[in-house]
Each structure stands twice: as structure tokens, then as C-alpha cells.
Amino acid sequence: MIQVIDLHKAFNGQVVLDGINLEIATGKITVVIGKSGVGKSVLLKHLIGLVKPDKGQVLVDGQDITQLKGRKLQDLKRRFSVLFQGGALFDSLSVFENIAFPLREKTRLPETEIVSRVHERLEQMNLSLEAGKKFPDELSGGMKKRVALARAMIQEPEIILFDEPVTGLDPPMTNTVFHLIRKTHGASNYTALVVAHDIPEVFSIADYVAMLHQGRIIAFGTPAEIQQHTDPMVQSFIRGEPDFLEA
């Protein structure tokens, strides 16, 4: 579905991506791991055209998103949905209206169909209809993540990008959110890229894992292959050794 070819990006002379090569398989969950500040979110933003590379290509079904503009770029973006790190919920809208927002903005569905779809997503995320009446500031961190996932899923996108989907959650809720990602993927078979550093929990949802370090992908494979990888940097990270602990 997506090919990243020799991708380079620097900000104010600081190299962030230094020749990334990565293939994201159709209908699979690919997870990019690596320590904070290594450029995982910058890579994700390239995939949807939010950031332009200094060099390289991002191909989506053979189309180079870095070269598209205007209507063609917007048409390609409609195939994507993004779950942002903080959830990015609208504080002034209820849970129901947050989930319905993409349908109201981008479709002409009748209100009855919008209500039906939102209720279906609430149920899928184990959220009650009563929860749909609440506002984001009334929700726990875990509930906010589930609402954000429901909104990301509401248009049944082909591709979903997850930027640190469990940041700030306790271990039980981390496992709950990862379970919901795997559950929704099983139901819809979308193509997913997940940016995360939650080891070993993230291995439970991944079909493939790539490790980003010093601007490059230094390891790629199945979760089992990554856990057995011989590169000392990979082993240090997945074991949480001091050089790789978060600041």
C-alpha cells in the first residue's frame, strides 16, 4: 500500500530522517518503534502530506504523495484517517458530535444514517449511549483514546495512522486500546501504521515491526524476528536498557 523510498528530512540543520526505506503492507499493521525524539511522528506526517521531505518519495498505490497538490492531494488524503497522539478531540463538542464530525464535514449522509453509524462505533468501543452525551473534559484518558479511535474509524478508511495511541495510559488501559485496534483491524482489514514505544505490549498487535534509530530503519521483521534480532541497539531498546529509557 505504501512505500517510503530514501526519505530525508532536516529541521534547522538537524537531520531527523536520513534515508528512510520502508514498505507498509496492504491490510496489515506495521509498527514503528524507537526512542522519543527519533523522528517517528515526523515520518508519519510525511505519509499524509503534512510535511514535505527534503529528498525522497512516499508512494501510495504507486502515487508519489510528495508531488501531489490541490485536488489530487485532497483526494488521496481521503483514503487516510489519523489518530493523533493527544486524541485531538474538540472540547466544545460532545462525544457523539466529535465522532460524527467527519461524516458531517465530508459526506451528505442523512441524519438517521449518521446517528446509526455513531451508535455503532460507540458500541464497538465499549462506550455507552450516555457516554456519547459527555464532553471531552468529562472523560478519562482511556475514554478519550476510544472516542478518538471511533472518530478515526467512522468513515471506514483504507489507511489509519496511529501516533502514539496509548501515551499517558496505565498498563490495563494500554492493553485495552491495543486490543481495540486489533479488533477493529480484524473487522475492517485496514492498512495501519502505528508509531509507538510501548514494549512489549505493541508486539501483540503488530504484523510487522520497524525500528527507527538515528534517522534510519535499522531493523524490520515480524515481532518474533525483531525480538530475536542480533543488532545490539534493537536488543537494548526492547529490553529497556538505560541508554534507551525515556527522559
Side-chain angles (χ1 to χ4, degrees):
M1 180 68 78
I2 302 173
Q3 290 179 289
V4 180
I5 303 171
D6 194 30
L7 198 68
H8 293 254
K9 185 65 181 180
F11 296 98
N12 299 319
Q14 180 70 37
V15 175
V16 179
L17 305 180
D18 191 21
I20 297 290
N21 290 285
L22 179 64
E23 291 190 358
I24 300 168
T26 304
K28 302 295 184 182
I29 298 178
T30 300
V31 176
V32 176
I33 61 173
K35 66 178 182 177
S36 293
V38 78
K40 301 187 300 296
S41 294
V42 173
L43 171 61
L44 182 148
K45 290 173 183 176
H46 277 83
L47 302 188
I48 201 170
L50 293 177
V51 175
K52 290 287 187 182
D54 298 328
K55 177 185 174 184
Q57 296 176 292
V58 177
L59 306 182
V60 181
D61 275 349
Q63 282 190 294
D64 187 355
I65 195 170
T66 69
Q67 300 301 313
L68 297 180
K69 296 180 181 179
R71 181 65 178 272
K72 289 184 177 180
L73 178 59
Q74 292 307 312
D75 286 345
L76 187 60
K77 282 185 176 182
R78 288 191 182 97
R79 299 173 63 184
F80 285 81
S81 186
V82 183
L83 195 157
F84 293 100
Q85 186 172 144
L89 300 178
F90 298 109
D91 292 337
S92 60
L93 298 182
S94 68
V95 165
F96 181 97
E97 292 299 333
N98 263 283
I99 298 171
F101 185 83
L103 297 179
R104 299 200 194 286
E105 287 292 302
K106 300 177 183 179
T107 75
R108 296 183 178 180
L109 289 173
E111 183 63 19
T112 53
E113 179 65 15
I114 291 175
V115 170
S116 176
R117 290 194 183 193
V118 173
H119 286 173
E120 180 182 344
R121 291 303 176 197
L122 284 169
E123 182 179 358
Q124 187 179 36
M125 300 300 152
N126 300 320
L127 294 167
S128 67
L129 297 183
E130 194 63 31
K133 301 175 184 178
K134 295 180 180 291
F135 286 83
D137 64 359
E138 300 177 280
L139 306 178
S140 66
M143 289 180 72
K144 288 179 181 178
K145 297 287 187 180
R146 284 184 281 161
V147 173
L149 180 56
R151 186 175 65 183
M153 291 287 300
I154 195 69
Q155 288 188 277
E156 300 180 352
E158 293 179 60
I159 306 163
I160 303 184
L161 308 179
F162 298 88
D163 188 7
E164 301 282 9
V166 296
T167 295
L169 300 183
D170 59 30
M173 188 50 64
T174 291
N175 288 328
T176 296
V177 172
F178 280 148
H179 169 75
L180 286 170
I181 291 173
R182 175 53 79 181
K183 176 183 173 182
T184 57
H185 179 265
S188 302
N189 203 38
Y190 52 79
T191 298
L193 179 77
V194 181
V195 164
H197 59 258
D198 305 274
I199 306 297
E201 293 85 359
V202 75
F203 291 138
S204 69
I205 66 166
D207 293 302
Y208 299 102
V209 179
M211 182 165 170
L212 181 58
H213 180 65
Q214 294 184 342
R216 294 177 178 270
I217 300 295
I218 63 168
F220 180 87
T222 65
E225 289 169 341
I226 292 298
Q227 290 175 81
Q228 298 299 319
H229 206 282
T230 58
D231 190 310
M233 293 293 182
V234 176
Q235 287 300 316
S236 292
F237 178 76
I238 65 178
R239 289 198 299 262
E241 293 179 349
D243 286 347
F244 287 89
L245 291 177
E246 301 301 323

